[in-house]
Amino acid sequence: MLGKEIPVSTPQRKLWHIVIVLAVCMLTAIPSGADDARSENVDSQTFLRRNLTPAGPPASASAAAVEKLLGQMTLKEKIGQMTQLEIGMVSDGQGQSLRINSDKLHKAVGEYGVGSILNVNDEALPAQKWHEIIRGIQEEARKSRLQIPVLYGIDTIHGPNYVIGGTLFPQPLAMAATWNPELMLRGSQIAAAETRKAGIPWSFSPVLDAGRQPLWSRLWETLGEDTYLTTVMGVATVRGYEGSDLSSPGSISASLKHYVGYSYPSTGGDRSPALIPEITLREYFLPTFAAAVKAGAHTVMVNSSEVNGIPGHANGYLLKDVLRDELGFEGFVVSDWMDIKKLVGVHHIAANEKEATRIAILAGIDMSMVPSDYSFSNLLLELAQQGEVPASRIDEAVRRILTVKYQLGLFDDPLRGIDSKTVVGSPESRQVSLEAARESITLLKNENHMLPLAKTAHVLVTGPDADSLIPLNNGWSYTWQGDRANMYPKDRATILKAIQEKIGAANVTYVPGATYNKEVDIAKAAEAASKADAVVICVGEWAYAETPGNIPDLTLPDAQLFLALKIMETKKPVILVLTEGRPRIISRIADPAMAILMAYNPSNEGGQAIADILFGDVNPSGKLPITYPRSTNRLFTYDHKVFEGEDWGEGKALAAPQFEFGSGLSYTNFLYSDLHVVPATASASQSVRVDVTVKNSGGHAGKEVVQLYLNECFASVTPPLKRLKRFAKVLLQPGESRQLSFELTSDDLSFISADNKRVVEPGVFDVRIGGLQQTFEWK
């Protein structure tokens, strides 16, 4: 064997380094110069080092109380705690007419002792309505024999998206495009405080599955394709949600999902099987979860589908051996929607639901999102009484659930947060969302400095996404699919309205041109284009979430392509604005376009943010967190393994994506110089120092993301072309320079070997930053 396996300390945690070294290795970025403080907060490793500390109180603080309560509980009460029902099981009506049904609620909480309730029924509710619902549920719990509070859960995906008036942030993929973990932390803190203000202490987020399948309908819920970027931004989300004290009225429990491999379906379809070799799973998918566990996340939600033929809800190896023994997770594991039932009807690994329940509980599921009947409670009670599920396993699951409820402070005050001073949707919070949208938007092309546009220009605005808040937000926005226009606030600007406000309505012509997939008035749009100074074409996607968002082809719909092509025939300068949750293929219109803005799903403040960048009030600083493909059959990530023909002839041109991971332009220029790597030869007892200088050589202040990539020139397992190791986002004034220093240790050079263990091998390594490259040898 060429390398040395990293030593381990205990047999129970013998593979610990396999999954967490990438996430927690000690590489330090040290900005130097007069303005250090401005960039310190966005240095990725400094951020990780400060935030890999779990929130209090520790489980030990409530251990005695939990054991005492556990000893008083009947078997049925214990199983009730493991049961999660949807809100319709305790209520009548839907939407704003939703109301608690006292008989249904008594059956659930009083008779079955249900431990958790989730979801909305149809649409978001105002905080006051949530208070009414949550108060009714907790009052019923206080009438029960042991007065155990109910844990309510909701999908807070991009802010409190099920609380009317709440501050919505750019979707997670867009937040990743900021490459700003401090901004992610602040946004998550606001989301947590506003969710807890509604009386809800638990969010089913973040998605930590690496977004490495661009066809997947949930790509926009991920933090991008790269393991390290997802790790940093995922830790920021967990720390923002859980804070320093989980029992605080401004904190909520995170739920890491969907453990693990859910994001890499072979077909691209949601909830469809993934084939992921263990070496790949450990290299690219597990480290994100490992770091979030180390940061203290209290719950985990399971992969709804299967990996290598084993459904996530039946995979004891991943749920127990890896999650518990290797990663050290101490919280509880919750199923996803109906997924124990699906072990029968979808995966066909159980003959009936009773057998499926036994398999799932023994595999490591602690709480079942049943969610619309009492079958789980009834069947698990039978299984326990018959000895097919040991009492010790029931106690183990309930102990974990009760511990989290104590840590959330629910036993002291089940309504904690309702009376907090948090203002839902405050102007200050909206400003943070606006800043996030501005920092996320990525300038992909700017030929002949087409942007920024002059505010005196006459502009045609067209395209299906120009005059709606729906594509600015996407799914999980007031409703599950996010496609109900009447739910969106009336005082937020669409792209069209923001441009009109920016340069005056008289300078703007609007022609829709097309819907998402149908031609409307393309000839009229082309005629208007001929009279304009410039054309802003707003194309991309409409709203969708989960399986309804499945598509067979990433190509932008023909109606939108035809609209753009007809306008381009006028020879007027075209700016494409892409509002989309995944990279739709635009190769037919990318080259003729003068400028391209990738806006992702930037939220309710996104219209203003887009206009700010189009007209130069904000300098764009977003960088792609994904590889933007050029064609439908060339879908690969930036860190792929080399393939034959990639580096020569026609193969090189075909292999190139439309836009590279980590790319993004600015209205200023940044010059990199003085890359030094010392020493040129190092060994396990040494670290390697990397210095680089970046200068704003243009005429505008701007933020640059300094990205450090590393690759091993040869190894016992074929190395990827390069891997992101660290990044720092720095603000530089015109003419300003700054030196950054990084320190690499042996952990940064490690990888998963053929026997699924993390190793470091002697070899030659290339360090790449900003187009510069230096080499060092590791012995």
Side-chain angles (χ1 to χ4, degrees):
M1 188 173 181
L2 293 176
K4 297 179 181 179
E5 184 179 345
I6 294 175
V8 294
S9 55
T10 66
Q12 292 78 15
R13 304 279 171 89
K14 64 181 180 179
L15 297 181
W16 174 263
H17 280 88
I18 294 177
V19 293
I20 68 170
V21 166
L22 283 179
V24 298
C25 55
M26 295 304 295
L27 175 153
T28 306
I30 312 164
S32 59
D35 299 312
D36 288 1
R38 289 182 310 186
S39 62
E40 183 184 23
N41 289 341
V42 287
D43 156 33
S44 60
Q45 187 56 29
T46 297
F47 181 88
L48 272 184
R49 189 168 59 247
R50 291 175 178 175
N51 287 281
L52 286 174
T53 303
S60 58
S62 58
V66 168
E67 291 305 319
K68 180 180 179 180
L69 184 56
L70 196 61
Q72 297 172 331
M73 297 174 71
T74 65
L75 178 60
K76 184 176 181 179
E77 288 170 332
K78 292 175 181 178
I79 291 171
Q81 287 299 303
M82 298 170 67
T83 303
Q84 185 180 58
L85 300 178
E86 49 98 0
I87 185 62
M89 291 291 288
V90 299
S91 65
D92 293 325
Q94 62 180 21
Q96 305 311 303
S97 65
L98 185 71
R99 62 192 181 280
I100 290 292
N101 180 309
S102 58
D103 292 336
K104 289 182 178 180
L105 181 60
H106 179 72
K107 180 178 180 180
V109 179
E111 296 178 17
Y112 274 86
V114 166
S116 181
I117 298 175
L118 81 154
N119 216 0
V120 295
N121 198 334
D122 188 52
E123 64 187 32
L125 302 173
Q128 293 79 4
K129 185 68 173 181
W130 276 118
H131 297 169
E132 174 189 322
I133 297 294
I134 301 299
R135 185 173 282 111
I137 291 170
Q138 299 296 9
E139 285 176 354
E140 181 64 35
R142 286 191 171 185
K143 296 175 186 176
S144 64
R145 187 175 75 89
L146 295 175
Q147 301 182 353
I148 300 175
V150 173
L151 176 58
Y152 205 101
I154 203 77
D155 289 280
T156 288
I157 305 299
H158 64 124
N161 42 261
Y162 280 135
V163 180
I164 291 177
T167 306
L168 298 196
F169 285 84
Q171 293 284 5
L173 187 67
M175 291 299 296
T178 69
W179 293 61
N180 187 337
E182 290 287 353
L183 194 52
M184 175 65 96
L185 175 71
R186 181 66 186 127
S188 299
Q189 289 169 336
I190 292 169
E194 294 189 13
T195 300
R196 195 78 187 250
K197 178 66 176 181
I200 301 171
W202 183 22
S203 171
F204 305 129
S205 66
V207 171
L208 291 186
D209 307 294
R212 299 174 71 83
Q213 166 53 284
L215 192 61
W216 188 43
S217 61
R218 305 187 74 167
L219 183 75
W220 49 270
E221 292 185 59
T222 77
L223 296 166
E225 71 183 45
D226 180 68
T227 303
Y228 181 69
L229 179 61
T230 299
T231 293
V232 175
M233 301 302 267
V235 166
T237 307
V238 172
R239 291 272 37 86
Y241 284 171
E242 300 201 341
S244 59
D245 181 358
L246 192 62
S247 67
S248 163
S251 296
I252 60 175
S253 174
S255 186
L256 314 180
K257 65 183 192 183
H258 305 80
Y259 180 82
V260 59
Y262 177 53
S263 63
Y264 202 56
S266 300
T267 65
D270 186 43
R271 287 179 163 83
S272 62
L275 297 174
I276 310 175
E278 185 167 351
I279 188 173
T280 304
L281 192 75
R282 291 182 174 276
E283 187 72 72
Y284 297 99
F285 293 91
L286 279 172
T288 59
F289 288 92
V293 168
K294 188 173 178 62
H298 285 75
T299 74
V300 165
M301 182 179 285
V302 182
N303 179 355
S304 291
S305 189
E306 62 183 58
V307 174
N308 303 331
I310 309 298
H313 290 71
N315 200 323
Y317 171 67
L318 289 177
L319 291 175
K320 295 188 292 187
D321 296 358
V322 177
L323 181 62
R324 298 289 181 183
D325 295 343
E326 294 181 26
L327 274 61
F329 178 62
E330 296 180 353
F332 72 82
V333 172
V334 63
S335 82
D336 206 341
W337 189 269
M338 290 182 64
D339 279 339
I340 292 180
K341 292 176 181 286
K342 291 176 184 176
L343 295 179
V344 181
V346 175
H347 300 290
H348 303 285
I349 68 162
N352 51 59
E353 189 178 346
K354 183 176 181 180
E355 175 63 9
T357 300
R358 185 189 68 84
I359 290 171
I361 296 304
L362 294 181
I365 303 297
D366 298 314
M367 179 183 286
S368 171
M369 192 184 290
V370 188
S372 302
D373 58 43
Y374 292 96
S375 60
F376 172 79
S377 293
N378 295 333
L379 293 172
L380 184 54
L381 183 61
E382 290 180 19
L383 288 165
Q385 290 172 337
Q386 294 165 2
E388 296 188 51
V389 173
S392 59
R393 173 68 190 103
I394 303 291
D395 287 352
E396 179 182 57
V398 177
R399 182 179 294 111
R400 292 167 179 164
I401 294 166
L402 293 177
T403 298
V404 172
K405 289 185 177 185
Y406 268 106
Q407 290 172 313
L408 282 163
L410 296 181
F411 281 93
D412 293 332
D413 180 7
L415 302 178
R416 183 162 292 174
I418 285 178
D419 294 327
S420 73
K421 296 181 180 179
T422 297
V423 177
V424 174
S426 70
E428 295 79 9
S429 296
R430 284 183 55 187
Q431 184 62 36
V432 177
S433 177
L434 175 60
E435 180 59 29
R438 287 167 169 167
E439 286 206 27
S440 71
I441 294 169
T442 307
L443 181 60
L444 298 176
K445 182 180 181 181
N446 196 20
E447 189 172 319
N448 296 329
H449 303 287
M450 182 65 211
L451 295 179
L453 293 170
K455 293 179 182 177
T456 56
H458 185 87
V459 178
L460 168 67
V461 179
T462 186
D465 291 359
D467 195 25
S468 175
L469 293 175
I470 290 174
L472 295 181
N473 284 276
N474 211 332
W476 301 116
S477 301
Y478 308 110
T479 64
W480 175 39
Q481 292 298 304
D483 57 358
R484 199 172 301 170
N486 68 323
M487 293 298 299
Y488 285 86
K490 304 300 186 288
D491 62 344
R492 310 302 163 84
T494 63
I495 300 172
L496 170 65
K497 289 181 173 58
I499 292 175
Q500 290 172 332
E501 292 170 1
K502 183 73 65 175
I503 64 173
N507 284 331
V508 180
T509 300
Y510 170 59
V511 181
T515 68
Y516 167 69
N517 57 6
K518 293 181 180 179
E519 299 176 19
V520 177
D521 45 13
I522 291 179
K524 184 178 179 181
E527 181 183 358
S530 67
K531 302 173 183 177
D533 297 321
V535 183
V536 175
I537 308 180
C538 304
V539 295
E541 297 188 308
W542 209 239
Y544 57 89
E546 301 190 63
T547 305
N550 285 352
I551 56 174
D553 186 346
L554 270 174
T555 305
L556 197 69
D558 287 343
Q560 298 186 58
L561 291 173
F562 188 52
L563 170 65
L565 289 169
K566 292 301 289 184
I567 288 175
M568 288 168 176
E569 288 178 2
T570 69
K571 305 301 182 182
K572 290 302 178 81
V574 167
I575 299 97
L576 297 178
V577 176
L578 309 176
T579 45
E580 55 190 17
R582 56 194 154 192
R584 304 303 292 262
I585 303 298
I586 57 169
S587 53
R588 290 173 60 191
I589 58 176
D591 288 343
M594 293 294 289
I596 302 175
L597 273 185
M598 177 63 163
Y600 313 92
N601 302 117
S603 83
N604 289 329
E605 314 301 331
Q608 180 181 337
I610 290 168
D612 287 342
I613 288 174
L614 287 174
F615 294 94
D617 291 328
V618 170
N619 193 349
S621 63
K623 303 288 185 181
L624 280 178
I626 54 172
T627 299
Y628 203 113
R630 184 179 299 273
S631 58
T632 56
N633 289 329
R634 288 282 184 167
L635 305 180
F636 51 81
T637 57
Y638 86 95
D639 53 357
H640 65 279
K641 306 296 182 76
V642 68
F643 50 84
E644 186 172 353
E646 181 178 8
D647 58 349
W648 55 270
E650 185 179 356
K652 183 174 183 179
L654 290 174
Q658 193 76 59
F659 304 106
E660 297 275 359
F661 170 88
S663 64
L665 304 174
S666 172
Y667 294 153
T668 191
N669 298 308
F670 296 101
L671 179 66
Y672 287 81
S673 63
D674 300 321
L675 176 62
H676 299 290
V677 179
V678 179
T681 301
S683 62
S685 61
Q686 296 176 286
S687 61
V688 175
R689 183 181 176 92
V690 179
D691 296 326
V692 70
T693 298
V694 58
K695 178 180 180 179
N696 183 345
S697 59
H700 304 278
K703 295 177 181 178
E704 171 69 339
V705 179
V706 180
Q707 304 167 43
L708 185 154
Y709 294 90
L710 192 69
N711 79 284
E712 190 165 8
C713 298
F714 54 88
S716 59
V717 173
T718 55
L721 293 178
K722 61 179 181 177
R723 296 288 300 275
L724 177 71
K725 288 297 178 179
R726 297 297 180 265
F727 59 90
K729 194 165 193 176
V730 294
L731 171 64
L732 297 174
Q733 300 300 319
E736 181 183 1
S737 296
R738 186 166 312 165
Q739 185 186 67
L740 291 94
S741 296
F742 301 87
E743 187 178 8
L744 299 169
T745 69
S746 60
D747 287 344
D748 298 300
L749 317 182
S750 66
F751 63 92
I752 302 298
S753 67
D755 57 358
N756 297 320
K757 294 178 171 59
R758 186 163 291 281
V759 300
V760 180
E761 294 180 348
V764 177
F765 294 83
D766 292 330
V767 175
R768 304 176 188 180
I769 305 178
L772 305 177
Q773 180 175 323
Q774 288 288 330
T775 299
F776 69 92
E777 184 178 3
W778 189 265
K779 290 188 175 181

